[in-house]
Amino acid sequence: YKFNKDYKDERLIAVEEKITEKAELIEVLTESIYEQSGEEMILIIREKIEIAKKEIESLWNQQSELEKELERANIFNDERLCA
């Protein structure tokens, strides 16, 4: 079994990019609330913001799991090099 570090790093980078995209979406949606006068439209935008926040939370969990996986794999590889 050979650990493919580049593949793991690419997965982590992809998750981090998604987090950034969702954060930017929240900023845009938040700004758009100030431009709205209709209460119904404001509620729709707030729902979209809540959905994006939940998606970010899920992505943070994915990021954390990937980082743990990378750390375990690096420890495994370090132990193999010392053997």
Side-chain angles (χ1 to χ4, degrees), residues 12-80:
L12 188 58
I13 289 168
V15 169
E16 291 171 349
E17 287 173 352
K18 289 178 186 175
I19 290 171
T20 301
E21 289 172 10
K22 295 295 178 185
E24 290 171 355
L25 175 62
I26 290 172
E27 282 185 42
V28 169
L29 290 171
T30 301
E31 288 298 317
S32 71
I33 286 177
Y34 299 116
E35 299 169 2
Q36 301 299 320
S37 57
E39 191 173 324
E40 184 178 333
M41 193 59 171
I42 290 172
L43 290 174
I44 291 170
I45 295 169
R46 284 186 178 161
E47 286 177 23
K48 289 180 181 181
I49 290 171
E50 287 304 312
I51 290 169
K53 285 180 178 179
K54 287 178 183 176
E55 290 172 344
I56 285 178
E57 189 173 325
S58 174
L59 289 165
W60 282 335
N61 290 333
Q62 287 178 7
Q63 179 185 30
S64 176
E65 289 302 313
L66 284 170
E67 288 171 345
K68 288 175 188 174
E69 184 179 322
L70 285 169
E71 190 174 307
R72 284 190 301 268
N74 284 335
I75 290 170
F76 175 73
N77 282 340
D78 288 346
E79 288 174 355
R80 285 181 55 192

